[in-house]
Amino acid sequence: MSGPAKGRYRRAWGLRALLPCLALIALEPLAEAQTITADLLRPVRDGFVLPQDSPLRRTSLGTGEADDKTGDAANAARPSGKDVPAPSRIGRIPSYGVPAASGASDSGFDSLNRRRQKPRFYPGQARPKPPPGPGSPPRVASLGPARLSVPSSESANKTPIPPAMAGTVAGQPPRKRLRIDDDPFGAVGDYAGSFLIKSAVELGGGYDTNPARTFVPKGSPFYVVAPEFLAVSDWERHAVVADLRGSFTGYGNNFPPPADGTISSAPVNLDRPDFIGHVDGRLDVSRDTHVLGQARLRLSTDNPGSPNIQAGLARYPVYTTLGSTIGVDQSFNRLQLSAGGTVDRTVYTDSKLTDGTSTSNDDRNYNQFGGLGRVSYDLIPGLKPFGEIEGNTRSHDLLVDRNGYQRNSSGGNVRAGTSFELSRILTGEASIGWAARTYEDSRLLPLQGLLTSASLVWVATPLTTAKFFATTSIDETTVPGVSGVLTHTYTAEVDHDFRRWLTGIGKFTWGTQQYQGDARFDRFYSVSGDLIYKMNRTLWVKGTLRRDWLDSNIPGNSTGSTVAMVGVRVQN
């Protein structure tokens, strides 16, 4: 029994092991259709196998990776951490979705209350766009023009340009966008090293009904030659600016003395030179300390009709004023302090008389020494109040002038005001103060009066600009018994561009001249209109029509004149 029984038992055991293997081989296609996935392990009702009629059953997306329910795409689409509890916020710093200091500005002042230094860019260099911050509207890619009315220039046919210039060639690097030219007819200039140099000359001619500004008018044609030169440094630190402007006015007629032998108040030859130039420099010692300097030159003559002009002159005497200023500018956060010293020298040429002789003007030559101080504070961006004080002394070459008066004097002024910049629409500076001057000669009364100063620019529209200027000066005089002349001048100007190439300028000037120690009081007015036709960047054509009045309370000193002129301007 033991032998045969053991053999049958082994055969039965082998048969029982073979039958399941055959069953698995026969059912292999069914096993492939029921691959084990994460859905089979979900602890929900009917989670192992979804009914075929369930509306939530999965549908095949095709062959390949789309049918794989165990890949990364299936794991990303499956909710993860569904039953994991939220982390505790006890002892944690709350986060509201905005990182710290993300709203800090790129301009103004930093956390130490120091003025933030803005980066400087070369001309034409692309400016980086500011990143969006809290409160800024989101940037949405527009599918078309956002404007309701499209200008005709966008839909009009344009001159075809090469693809390389348009930037449409495949693989071409992007072209740098040039800066928009605010003045398409302005001078371009040339670079000499690191200096931008611009030059121009104006040639014009016309007719003046009363060039000598006498009570009995006599007209004359005239011509004007006016050169200009401007050089500006382009440095990262320090700066130098040279601005030189001059003119020469020549008249076609002479004004000989009257035949009855009386002495004329106007020279025979009315030709006049005029030049004003200055060179300014700034040395940046540090970010908050700057050394400032200026050298200036003024060359001109007395104004026609002035009481300082001698009778019987053959031509106007020319005076020259040469001076300089050196100062320091120091900033303490928003507070700015400036101080400097000035020195000027004024020299007159001898007067040529009609009889061939000459007289000296050494009594009119003088030196002026002075100093000034200024304090300002950045109250808010665009508003900077300031206070200024200035004092000087004038020492003449001769102690006594031709009329026996001692003209040496000392004086100064004090004023307060503010400079402002309101959204680039209204910019400038305005101030008010008091000016006074005393003389060594007791017969000369102290000269004092209200001091007004302003320089305002109002951009009313993109095509119209209004300007206003106000100046006050205390001028020397040779009139016997008169201390000096207190002059107030006010000018209003409106510029309008009818086209980019056609500009109209209207100007109105009025002012007063008060002769301290004399009853004379003059009022002067001037109305002018200019029309400029800009042919291109190099050549302009200009026409001017002006009317001048001088109203004096002294009989025989009131004058009037009309000036008409046409000229061209050549610039580079």
Side-chain angles (χ1 to χ4, degrees):
M1 288 295 295
S2 60
K6 291 181 180 180
R8 287 194 300 269
Y9 175 78
R10 291 172 181 169
R11 287 193 296 271
W13 182 87
L15 183 60
R16 287 195 298 267
L18 181 62
L19 290 177
C21 294
L22 295 177
L24 291 177
I25 294 174
L27 297 178
E28 182 180 1
L30 298 178
E32 291 181 357
Q34 296 183 2
T35 304
I36 298 178
T37 63
D39 292 335
L40 300 178
L41 304 179
R42 294 176 58 193
V44 296
R45 185 176 181 181
D46 297 332
F48 289 94
V49 179
L50 291 177
Q52 294 299 324
D53 57 352
S54 174
L56 301 179
R57 68 184 179 88
R58 296 181 181 273
T59 59
S60 176
L61 299 177
T63 61
E65 296 180 359
D67 295 334
D68 187 8
K69 300 182 180 298
T70 63
D72 295 337
N75 294 332
R78 187 178 303 109
S80 61
K82 180 178 180 181
D83 299 330
V84 177
S88 176
R89 293 182 294 176
I90 300 177
R92 294 177 177 269
I93 300 177
S95 177
Y96 299 99
V98 180
S102 62
S105 176
D106 291 337
S107 61
F109 301 90
D110 58 11
S111 59
L112 298 180
N113 208 16
R114 299 173 301 188
R115 179 176 290 278
R116 191 183 300 275
Q117 299 296 323
K118 297 182 179 180
R120 298 183 60 184
F121 301 94
Y122 294 102
Q125 182 179 358
R127 269 59 171 175
K129 296 182 179 180
S136 61
R139 297 179 181 176
V140 181
S142 59
L143 301 178
R147 291 167 291 181
L148 298 179
S149 59
V150 179
S152 57
S153 59
E154 291 191 2
S155 58
N157 292 329
K158 297 180 175 60
T159 304
I161 60 177
M165 183 176 296
T168 58
V169 177
Q172 179 185 5
R175 293 177 55 87
K176 182 178 67 175
R177 299 183 64 89
L178 299 179
R179 183 176 60 90
I180 298 177
D181 193 352
D182 298 330
D183 188 2
F185 290 93
V188 179
D190 296 318
Y191 273 94
S194 59
F195 282 86
L196 175 62
I197 298 177
K198 297 183 180 181
S199 58
V201 61
E202 291 189 8
L203 305 175
Y207 190 84
D208 192 338
T209 60
N210 189 8
R213 301 300 188 268
T214 56
F215 183 73
V216 179
K218 180 181 178 180
S220 172
F222 68 93
Y223 66 91
V224 178
V225 179
E228 299 177 8
F229 177 83
L230 177 66
V232 181
S233 64
D234 188 9
W235 302 336
E236 184 177 356
R237 293 185 59 192
H238 320 303
V240 174
V241 177
D243 189 359
L244 311 177
R245 302 173 186 271
S247 67
F248 181 83
T249 305
Y251 292 89
N253 296 341
N254 291 331
F255 296 80
D260 56 1
T262 59
I263 300 177
S264 174
S265 60
V268 176
N269 190 340
L270 299 180
D271 296 349
R272 302 177 56 207
D274 191 10
F275 175 83
I276 180 171
H278 59 90
V279 179
D280 302 329
R282 189 191 75 242
L283 179 63
D284 298 334
V285 180
S286 65
R287 189 189 64 176
D288 299 327
T289 305
H290 311 282
V291 178
L292 308 177
Q294 182 188 72
R296 52 187 174 271
L297 175 64
R298 181 78 167 95
L299 188 146
S300 185
T301 65
D302 292 325
N303 294 325
S306 172
N308 297 328
I309 299 176
Q310 296 175 254
L313 289 176
R315 63 178 62 249
Y316 289 112
V318 179
Y319 74 87
T320 304
T321 300
L322 178 63
S324 64
T325 300
I326 298 179
V328 178
D329 189 353
Q330 179 66 43
S331 298
F332 301 94
N333 200 350
R334 299 187 182 185
L335 181 65
Q336 185 176 6
L337 302 178
S338 303
T342 62
V343 57
D344 295 273
R345 169 70 176 172
T346 301
V347 178
Y348 282 81
T349 61
D350 294 342
S351 298
K352 304 295 183 180
L353 304 180
T354 55
D355 57 2
T357 62
S358 62
T359 60
S360 175
N361 289 315
D362 291 344
D363 59 338
R364 304 186 67 180
N365 302 339
Y366 66 92
N367 300 322
Q368 177 174 299
F369 305 94
L372 55 91
R374 179 185 176 112
V375 55
S376 58
Y377 185 79
D378 282 330
L379 188 60
I380 58 176
L383 186 63
K384 190 175 184 179
F386 68 88
E388 184 175 296
I389 185 172
E390 179 181 358
N392 57 69
T393 60
R394 294 176 180 175
S395 177
H396 289 72
D397 292 356
L398 300 181
L399 183 61
V400 180
D401 68 354
R402 67 194 66 183
N403 297 310
Y405 289 90
Q406 298 180 13
R407 292 289 178 178
N408 293 341
S409 62
S410 61
N413 61 78
V414 58
R415 63 192 181 106
T418 181
S419 59
F420 45 83
E421 179 180 348
L422 306 178
S423 302
R424 301 300 302 173
I425 297 179
L426 180 61
T427 60
E429 178 178 301
S431 64
I432 188 171
W434 188 260
R437 178 166 293 277
T438 58
Y439 297 83
E440 291 185 359
D441 199 321
S442 59
R443 294 172 296 175
L444 299 178
L445 299 178
L447 179 58
Q448 54 187 359
L450 184 66
L451 174 63
T452 56
S453 177
S455 176
L456 308 177
V457 178
W458 175 38
V459 183
T461 67
L463 301 178
T464 305
T465 303
K467 304 176 182 178
F468 177 77
F469 306 97
T471 59
T472 302
S473 62
I474 296 180
D475 305 321
E476 295 285 323
T477 183
T478 59
V479 179
V482 177
S483 305
V485 183
L486 181 63
T487 304
H488 293 277
T489 305
Y490 308 93
T491 302
E493 177 182 330
V494 177
D495 302 351
H496 181 73
D497 293 335
F498 299 99
R499 293 291 187 271
R500 289 188 174 184
W501 43 266
L502 185 62
T503 302
I505 302 175
K507 183 185 297 184
F508 176 64
T509 302
W510 73 100
T512 60
Q513 291 180 327
Q514 180 182 357
Y515 291 80
Q516 186 67 40
D518 192 11
R520 179 168 180 171
F521 185 82
D522 296 344
R523 296 181 177 87
F524 56 90
Y525 309 92
S526 177
V527 178
S528 65
D530 298 341
L531 190 63
I532 303 176
Y533 172 57
K534 304 174 183 178
M535 302 182 65
N536 49 49
R537 288 185 180 270
T538 304
L539 184 61
W540 294 4
V541 179
K542 179 180 179 181
T544 301
L545 181 62
R546 188 179 77 245
R547 175 67 180 176
D548 300 331
W549 296 275
L550 176 64
D551 183 14
S552 177
N553 60 350
I554 304 299
N557 289 276
S558 299
T559 62
S561 176
T562 301
V563 180
M565 183 176 65
V566 177
V568 296
R569 176 184 176 90
V570 181
Q571 63 184 11
N572 180 27

